[in-house]
Amino acid sequence: MELRESPIAETAMLIRRPLAEVFEAAVTTKFWFTHSSGRLNESKPVEWEWRMYGVSTKVEVSEIVPNEMIIMQWSDPPTTVVWTFTEMPDEATFLEIRNFGFAGSADEQVKQAVESTGGFALVLAGAKAWLEQGLTLGLIGDRHPKGVSA
């Protein structure tokens, strides 16, 4: 397969919470992984862990514009993730996530983009439930339960 353009994972969600609250949740990401070595900032890398899977990744932030955008690199080989926050009427926030820079063959890049789109869609759904309803849905942990082949 030949790619004309590099694949980009894209997903977005309206979250009915004020912009500053949604941004803070993304910086601390309490709804996504099990452990972190710290909050996101431009001064030092952090390590995110998903202990239920026994995996972790290094996250490096290249830019934070408070209440507007977070640009980070993660994974191995690294890809870029851009979180864009848009203030909406009625104390709501539209949060968009784009992930790009996948490596490998064309087939591998497409597979990574599809998996990333699905993963970030779950992240946004989990963030929405947590921020709007105070619910922790366990979406990430339940995505790959033990005993089910990937």
Side-chain angles (χ1 to χ4, degrees), residues 39-53:
R39 65 185 277 125
L40 294 179
N41 64 60
E42 293 179 36
S43 63
K44 67 175 187 158
V46 297
E47 187 85 12
W48 285 350
E49 295 179 60
W50 292 265
R51 290 189 176 169
M52 69 289 236
Y53 299 130

Side-chain angles (χ1 to χ4, degrees), residues 20-88:
E21 189 175 332
V22 176
F23 185 84
E24 179 62 19
V27 172
T28 58
T29 52
K30 295 177 182 177
F31 50 85
W32 185 6
F33 45 79
T34 57
H35 294 83
S36 175
S37 63
R39 65 185 277 125
L40 294 179
N41 64 60
E42 293 179 36
S43 63
K44 67 175 187 158
V46 297
E47 187 85 12
W48 285 350
E49 295 179 60
W50 292 265
R51 290 189 176 169
M52 69 289 236
Y53 299 130
V55 298
S56 66
T57 190
K58 185 170 113 179
V59 178
E60 293 191 38
V61 175
S62 54
E63 183 176 4
I64 291 181
V65 180
N67 298 326
E68 290 182 24
M69 183 180 347
I70 300 168
I71 302 174
M72 64 183 219
Q73 289 71 42
W74 79 327
S75 200
D76 186 25
T79 63
T80 299
V81 182
V82 179
W83 304 63
T84 305
F85 303 79
T86 303
E87 189 169 26
M88 302 296 289

Side-chain angles (χ1 to χ4, degrees), residues 10-25:
E10 296 179 282
T11 189
M13 180 77 65
L14 179 71
I15 300 175
R16 290 179 176 83
R17 298 301 300 165
L19 176 66
E21 189 175 332
V22 176
F23 185 84
E24 179 62 19

